[in-house]
């Protein structure tokens, strides 16, 4: 139930610039603090993450990339890569899967964190973003080809990922203890000023509350919840 693994190398793949911190920032910070080499891939530019119609999408994307870099430093990540897809334009197609396969074979992570693509309805007031769902499927659909040498033979030696944690899930079966790094998660989320506006205290309170709820389900103080898959 509680996931105690500290992978030697981990790769988180998320759609929009603030998704990793919100969905798995505690786990990424925990692993990095325990000596893991943690890499992050952001698929989307974050260029449409504003309700203000006067926003310049390119300037917003640039600003959000800076926020990603600051958050990565707070979390202690080893590296961040941007795939550069415009918001709303992620497709689980051979092009995206080829890029993900290249990243997986190059970085050779023991553990991968990605969005749970099966999560669609959160209560009755939120439909999961299509980019999250498309990317989640693309990551899952890349695992077998990445581990099979006859797929993309020129993209580096085959690599089997052993642990997959799917974030933003409705069917959690594993919890990571983030009690010791909750402040780091809050600080990393707070780097995304363009998203949280002038309400950092409210954001901190919500993150604490959410982590405490998941902690209660796992019998610990603060946790992040995932759907866990194991491969050997
Ligand atoms: Zn998102």
């Amino acid at each position: 139930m509680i996931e105690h693994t500290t992978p030697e190398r981990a790769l988180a793949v998320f759609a929009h610039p603030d998704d990793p911190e919100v969905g798995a920032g505690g786990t990424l910070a925990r692993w990095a603090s325990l000596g893991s080499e943690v890499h992050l891939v952001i698929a989307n530019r974050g260029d449409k993450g504003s309700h203000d119609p006067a926003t310049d999408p390119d300037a917003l994307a640039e600003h959000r990339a800076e926020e990603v870099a600051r958050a990565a430093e707070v979390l202690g990540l080893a590296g961040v890569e941007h795939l550069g897809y415009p918001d709303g334009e992620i497709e689980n197609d051979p092009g995206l899967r080829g890029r993900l396969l290249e990243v997986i074979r190059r970085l050779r992570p023991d553990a991968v964190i990605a969005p749970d693509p099966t999560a669609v309805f959160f209560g009755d007031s939120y439909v999961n973003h299509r980019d999250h769902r498309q990317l989640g499927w693309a990551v899952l659909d890349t695992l077998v080809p990445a581990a099979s040498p006859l797929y993309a033979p020129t993209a580096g030696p085959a690599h089997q990922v052993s642990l997959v944690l799917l974030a933003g899930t409705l069917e959690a079966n594993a919890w990571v203890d983030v009690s010791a790094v909750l402040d780091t998660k809050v600080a990393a989320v707070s780097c995304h000023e363009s998203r949280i506006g002038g309400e950092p205290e409210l954001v901190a309170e919500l993150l604490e509350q959410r982590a405490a709820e998941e902690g209660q389900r796992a019998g610990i103080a603060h946790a992040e919840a995932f759907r866990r898959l194991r491969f050997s």
Side-chain angles (χ1 to χ4, degrees), residues 15-16 18-19 129 132:
H16 309 110
D18 57 328
D19 293 348
H129 198 295
H132 303 168

Side-chain angles (χ1 to χ4, degrees), residues 23-107:
T27 301
L28 300 177
R30 175 192 167 93
W31 286 352
S33 74
L34 294 173
S36 297
E37 181 186 320
V38 184
H39 295 266
L40 173 63
V41 165
I42 299 282
N44 291 98
R45 299 178 68 214
D47 58 317
K48 299 183 184 71
S50 170
H51 294 295
D52 178 359
T55 301
D56 172 12
D58 290 331
L60 178 60
E62 205 171 306
H63 182 198
R64 296 192 71 189
E66 288 162 13
E67 294 174 338
V68 167
R70 279 203 291 280
E73 207 163 311
V74 170
L75 293 173
L77 304 188
V80 183
E81 299 180 32
H82 294 266
L83 299 186
Y85 289 87
D87 287 3
E89 295 186 25
I90 290 282
E91 296 293 342
N92 175 16
D93 62 15
L96 174 58
R97 291 195 299 275
R99 295 183 75 180
L100 294 171
L101 180 144
E102 184 279 322
V103 171
I104 288 171
R105 286 194 182 167
R106 172 164 45 87
L107 297 177

